[in-house]
């Protein structure tokens, strides 16, 4: 869910805060010069015995000095000594006992799986959530689909095509499961995108899907279709590792909401896919996930496994997550179509939590149509996730795009602009206007404090010392200890101001822009707006081998819509893909070039 922020300048050298407090506790100021006090013992100079009152006074002074020295880290070094003494006494008497009581209640387990916050973020711009009676989308009819003779061709078919093969009994779910299990085992050792292959469960679910079809029961487009889940999503009897060596053998007796939804559609889980350790970037306990389009690159983003596995034809689709860039970045790098839905559209019950007001689940697929199919099946509210909503998603297949006004930023891929314009969409230059300059820091404060609340015990037990990438969560969560509650709430107030300004500035039906611009990633996640990530082409890699290579750098764009308007982003993405074939290209994972050394 978390993408590493841009490199920060090296910190100024200073002693750790604890060390600083220890030093300050002994730094009692000297009084004006006075002759040394001596005892009456002949030939020896000794200090006079210190009374209990003197000891108490010195401890009070040293405590105040330590507190005064530390207040600069909270940007609150304006209290005089008497107020600091009052604060110290109050913290010891009231605050610390309350902290400990609360931690015992909710913080002994890591991961934020239980006891969600009572502070609930709602992303809708229309007041109360819209309640619907789950109307299925009106999918286009897929006809004249024939089973290819090669497994390779089957592996890169869309959900719509595979669903038609299943429905017409040209292929069984068991046969499809075999195809994708073989690819998972073949390519994962190089791409490092798989944590657990769920063979037994996959064959069991495939048999159930085939048996139902033999009985004349067809559950829909995902019936019998294999897929993968990011390994922060709990599945009973299988490890849910969160990508971390600390939790490598963790088995949770929880059935995540999104897994329940997919199981009810007859879909077949074939793998738990790589998440960066504790959902941060692409480094995990088994290595680092690579980009199938350029094996010397890494996939970026914590939904590394879902993006790379979908790109490589190891699964037809996968479910990933995003807090800050972990759908958009790996989708863009690996050249797959993906959707970061409106915040709250898909319940996160049974999913490791970074931030309850930022985390979202979304699909990685071969096309925007497939994204619509998957979103339609996984969306919904669950009691275990207070932020989840029943959103009345309008049908993207019935959107008249010629009635839309779509903006394009300076960062937009102009090919997309030109294609949509030719399809009858009104395209206009556009810029989001807002006065909040602290967008990125608001996201960092929100995310880091929330994450620390969910992994408080992990840090207290020193488990951050064995984390896979020491410059990532360990550094950020130590710094988060120094973010006061008042500043966290000020950040949320600034976030509210940002949302109001973005809403007022959003004068188009959607806009096109860079899917991986960090400011836009932060803004989109803070607001809760959806974005469809769409492949738009390729360019040569830097420093290609002299013998030549088919490796490429993918080019993508983002189609952004207001909250609860996912159907607009999807309709525009489908319109673009209806006359282009960038999303149908296959990465060169079997033809890496003779000079490749991976």
């Amino acid at each position: 869910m978390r993408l590493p922020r841009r490199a920060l300048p090296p910190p100024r050298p200073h002693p750790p805060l604890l060390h600083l407090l220890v030093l300050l506790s002994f730094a009692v100021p000297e009084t004006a010069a006075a002759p040394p006090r001596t005892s009456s013992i002949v030939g020896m100079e000794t200090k006079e015995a210190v009374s209990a009152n003197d000891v108490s006074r010195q401890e009070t002074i040293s405590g105040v000095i330590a507190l005064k020295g530390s207040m600069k880290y909270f940007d609150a070094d304006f209290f005089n000594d008497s107020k600091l003494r009052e604060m110290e006494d109050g913290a010891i008497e009231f605050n610390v006992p309350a902290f400990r009581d609360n931690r015992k209640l909710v913080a002994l387990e890591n991961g934020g799986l239980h006891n969600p916050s009572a502070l609930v973020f709602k992303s809708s711009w229309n007041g109360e959530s819209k309640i619907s009676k789950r109307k299925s989308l009106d999918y286009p009819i897929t006809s004249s689909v024939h089973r290819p003779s090669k497994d390779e061709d089957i592996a890169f078919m869309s959900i719509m095509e595979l669903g038609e093969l299943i429905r017409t009994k040209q292929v069984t779910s068991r046969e499809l499961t075999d195809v994708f299990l073989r690819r998972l085992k073949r390519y994962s050792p190089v791409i490092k995108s798989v944590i657990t292959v769920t063979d037994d469960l996959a064959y069991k679910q495939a048999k159930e899907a085939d048996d139902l079809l033999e009985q004349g029961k067809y559950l829909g487009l995902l019936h019998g279709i294999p897929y993968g889940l990011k390994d922060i999503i709990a599945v009973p009897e299988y490890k849910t590792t969160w990508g971390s060596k600390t939790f490598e053998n963790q088995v949770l007796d929880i059935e995540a909401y999104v897994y329940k939804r997919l199981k009810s559609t007859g879909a077949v889980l074939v793998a738990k896919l790589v998440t960066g350790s504790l959902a941060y970037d692409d480094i995990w306990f088994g290595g680092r996930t690579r980009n199938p389009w350029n094996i010397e690159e890494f996939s970026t983003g914590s939904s590394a496994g879902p993006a790379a596995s979908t790109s490589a034809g190891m699964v037809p689709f996968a479910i990933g997550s995003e807090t800050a860039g972990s759908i958009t970045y790996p989708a863009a790098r690996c050249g797959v179509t993906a959707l970061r839905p409106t915040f709250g559209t898909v319940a996160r019950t049974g999913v490791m939590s970074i931030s309850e007001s930022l985390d979202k689940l979304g699909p990685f697929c071969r096309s925007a149509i497939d994204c619509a199919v998957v979103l339609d099946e996984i969306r919904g509210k669950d009691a275990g996730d207070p932020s989840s909503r029943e959103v009345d998603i309008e049908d993207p297949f019935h959107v008249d795009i010629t009635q839309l006004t779509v903006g394009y930023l300076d960062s937009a891929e102009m090919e997309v602009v030109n294609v949509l314009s030719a399809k009858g969409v009104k395209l206009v230059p556009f810029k989001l206007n807002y006065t909040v300059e602290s967008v990125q820091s608001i996201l960092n404060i929100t995310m880091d404090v929330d994450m620390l609340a969910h992994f408080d015990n992990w840090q207290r037990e020193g488990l951050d010392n064995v984390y896979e990438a020491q410059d990532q969560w360990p550094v950020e969560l130590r710094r988060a200890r120094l973010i006061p509650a008042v500043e966290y709430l000020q950040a949320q107030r600034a976030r509210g101001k940002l949302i109001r300004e973005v809403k007022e500035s959003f004068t188009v039906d959607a806009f096109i822009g860079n899917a991986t611009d960090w400011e836009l990633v932060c803004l989109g996640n803070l607001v809760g707006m959806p974005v469809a990530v769409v492949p738009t082409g390729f360019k040569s890699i830097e420093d290609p081998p002299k013998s030549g290579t088919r490796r490429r750098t993918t080019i993508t764009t983002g189609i952004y819509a207001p909250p609860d308007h996912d159907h607009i982003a999807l309709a525009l993405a489908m319109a673009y893909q209806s006359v282009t074939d960038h999303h149908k290209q296959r990465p060169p994972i079997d033809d890496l070039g003779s000079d490749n050394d991976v």
Side-chain angles (χ1 to χ4, degrees):
M1 293 185 210
R2 170 71 166 105
L3 182 89
R5 67 171 61 92
R6 294 169 184 171
L8 298 172
R12 293 171 299 183
H14 58 72
L17 181 58
L18 181 59
H19 188 202
L20 178 67
L21 297 181
V22 171
L23 290 175
L24 288 172
S25 68
F26 291 95
V28 180
E30 295 181 359
T31 58
R37 297 182 233 177
T38 60
S39 70
S40 60
I41 299 177
V42 177
M44 295 184 64
E45 184 175 273
T46 63
K47 292 183 179 178
E48 224 175 55
V50 180
S51 69
N53 286 339
D54 286 341
V55 170
S56 176
R57 184 177 66 83
Q58 289 184 4
E59 288 178 348
T60 300
I61 293 172
S62 64
V64 167
I65 293 172
L67 186 56
K68 179 180 288 185
S70 67
M71 293 306 288
K72 65 183 179 183
Y73 298 106
F74 304 98
D75 195 26
D77 51 350
F78 50 82
F79 296 103
N80 62 32
D81 288 0
S82 65
K83 290 178 180 177
L84 288 167
R85 279 193 291 272
E86 173 192 283
M87 292 162 66
E88 182 185 33
D89 291 344
I92 292 170
E93 184 178 357
F94 298 108
N95 296 6
V96 172
F99 296 162
R100 291 173 177 169
D101 287 345
N102 291 336
R103 286 202 304 272
K104 287 179 184 177
L105 290 173
V106 299
L108 295 181
E109 290 184 77
N110 295 302
L113 294 168
H114 308 288
N115 301 302
S117 171
L119 303 177
V120 177
F121 173 61
K122 296 293 186 182
S123 61
S124 176
W125 288 355
N126 299 317
E128 292 297 317
S129 302
K130 294 182 279 187
I131 307 299
S132 71
K133 295 181 179 179
R134 285 202 72 88
K135 295 178 293 184
S136 184
L137 304 184
D138 187 12
Y139 304 117
I141 297 173
T142 304
S143 58
S144 302
V145 178
H146 301 289
R147 176 176 177 166
S149 58
K150 296 180 180 179
D151 287 353
E152 172 85 6
D153 296 327
I154 291 175
F156 285 95
M157 296 180 84
S158 69
I159 290 173
M160 298 288 288
E161 292 166 333
L162 292 173
E164 184 64 7
L165 291 183
I166 289 277
R167 189 187 69 81
T168 56
K169 299 184 181 180
Q170 296 181 59
V171 68
T172 64
S173 179
R174 168 68 188 233
E175 290 173 315
L176 281 187
T177 300
D178 278 334
V179 168
F180 289 103
L181 286 175
R182 284 195 294 269
R183 292 183 68 85
L184 285 162
K185 294 172 182 178
R186 177 180 180 183
Y187 294 115
S188 182
V190 174
I191 297 176
K192 295 188 181 299
S193 62
V194 180
I195 292 182
T196 303
V197 176
T198 57
D199 307 62
D200 293 342
L201 178 62
Y203 284 128
K204 175 177 177 291
Q205 292 181 340
K207 184 179 186 304
E208 290 171 353
D210 289 336
D211 288 348
L212 282 174
L213 199 58
E214 285 301 314
Q215 298 166 22
K217 299 176 183 177
Y218 180 62
L219 301 180
L221 283 171
L222 297 185
H223 187 126
I225 305 295
Y227 73 98
L229 291 175
K230 183 176 180 178
D231 201 28
I232 61 170
I233 300 170
V235 175
E237 300 180 17
Y238 282 89
K239 294 178 182 178
T240 301
T241 70
W242 301 340
S244 166
K245 66 181 72 174
T246 301
F247 303 99
E248 185 177 353
N249 295 310
Q250 173 178 252
V251 177
L252 299 171
D253 188 22
I254 300 172
E255 193 171 53
Y257 173 83
V258 70
Y259 172 63
K260 285 182 187 177
R261 292 291 310 149
L262 288 168
K263 190 168 69 169
S264 72
T265 70
V268 175
L269 179 65
V270 290
K272 301 293 291 298
L273 303 174
V274 163
T275 171
S277 184
L278 302 186
Y280 194 129
D281 201 26
D282 54 16
I283 300 172
W284 59 292
F285 66 82
R288 193 171 185 185
T289 304
R290 294 185 178 274
N291 171 18
W293 275 103
N294 183 0
I295 206 71
E296 291 187 339
E297 283 186 334
F298 299 106
S299 62
T300 79
S302 68
S303 296
S309 297
T310 304
S311 174
M314 296 158 69
V315 288
F317 76 95
I319 305 299
S321 66
E322 171 155 327
T323 307
S326 285
I327 287 177
T328 54
Y329 273 84
R333 175 64 62 88
C334 297
V336 296
T337 306
L339 178 71
R340 182 188 75 204
T342 296
F343 175 84
T345 300
V346 183
R348 303 158 302 179
T349 310
V351 180
M352 191 208 96
S353 178
I354 289 180
S355 171
E356 290 166 46
S357 71
L358 292 170
D359 298 344
K360 295 158 289 291
L361 298 175
F364 292 80
C365 299
R366 307 235 171 281
S367 69
I369 290 177
D370 284 2
C371 285
V373 170
V374 176
L375 180 66
D376 191 31
E377 297 294 357
I378 64 175
R379 65 186 172 100
K381 179 180 176 61
D382 185 73
D385 179 2
S387 296
S388 61
R389 300 180 292 133
E390 286 290 357
V391 181
D392 191 10
I393 294 178
E394 295 184 35
D395 196 327
F397 300 106
H398 287 181
V399 173
D400 182 357
I401 62 172
T402 65
Q403 299 302 306
L404 300 178
T405 299
V406 176
Y408 58 93
L409 306 182
D410 291 341
S411 63
E413 284 296 323
M414 291 309 295
E415 188 216 18
V416 181
V417 174
N418 294 334
V419 166
L420 291 178
S421 180
K423 297 277 288 184
V425 179
K426 181 181 179 182
L427 275 298
V428 296
F430 179 70
K431 181 180 180 181
L432 275 177
N433 295 308
Y434 52 92
T435 64
V436 178
E437 297 180 353
S438 54
V439 172
Q440 298 177 31
S441 65
I442 293 170
L443 182 130
N444 290 331
I445 287 171
T446 303
M447 177 178 61
D448 290 352
V449 171
D450 290 356
M451 177 65 176
L452 182 56
H454 298 140
F455 284 88
D456 186 3
N457 206 41
W458 173 81
Q459 188 185 67
R460 290 176 182 276
E461 292 180 347
L463 297 175
D464 57 340
N465 293 326
V466 295
Y467 184 79
E468 286 73 5
Q470 284 295 306
D471 61 340
Q472 295 180 358
W473 278 137
V475 171
E476 292 196 27
L477 297 190
R478 289 171 201 141
R479 185 170 63 245
R481 283 282 172 195
L482 300 181
I483 299 175
V486 65
E487 301 303 342
Y488 177 86
L489 290 176
Q490 301 295 27
Q492 302 319 303
R493 295 175 71 196
R495 180 182 183 180
K497 179 177 175 63
L498 173 69
I499 292 170
R500 290 189 295 274
E501 292 182 351
V502 168
K503 179 181 178 182
E504 185 177 340
S505 178
F506 212 120
T507 56
V508 291
D509 295 300
F511 68 85
I512 302 165
N514 190 322
T516 57
D517 176 87
W518 184 237
E519 174 84 359
L520 199 48
V521 166
C522 293
L523 182 146
N525 280 289
L526 288 170
V527 172
M529 68 172 65
V531 58
V533 182
V534 182
T536 58
F538 304 90
K539 60 184 180 181
S540 298
I541 64 171
E542 295 181 3
D543 300 321
K546 294 178 181 178
S547 61
T549 181
R550 289 184 56 231
R551 298 200 301 271
R552 294 289 181 269
T553 296
T554 57
I555 303 172
T556 55
T557 201
I559 302 176
Y560 298 80
D564 298 335
H565 288 70
D566 305 55
H567 63 290
I568 299 294
L570 288 168
L572 291 167
M574 288 188 285
Y576 172 76
Q577 291 183 338
S578 70
V579 292
T580 60
D581 64 357
H582 304 303
H583 61 292
K584 296 181 180 179
Q585 303 308 304
R586 304 178 189 180
I589 49 177
D590 283 318
D591 182 14
L592 302 178
S594 59
D595 290 345
N596 179 67
D597 59 359
V598 177

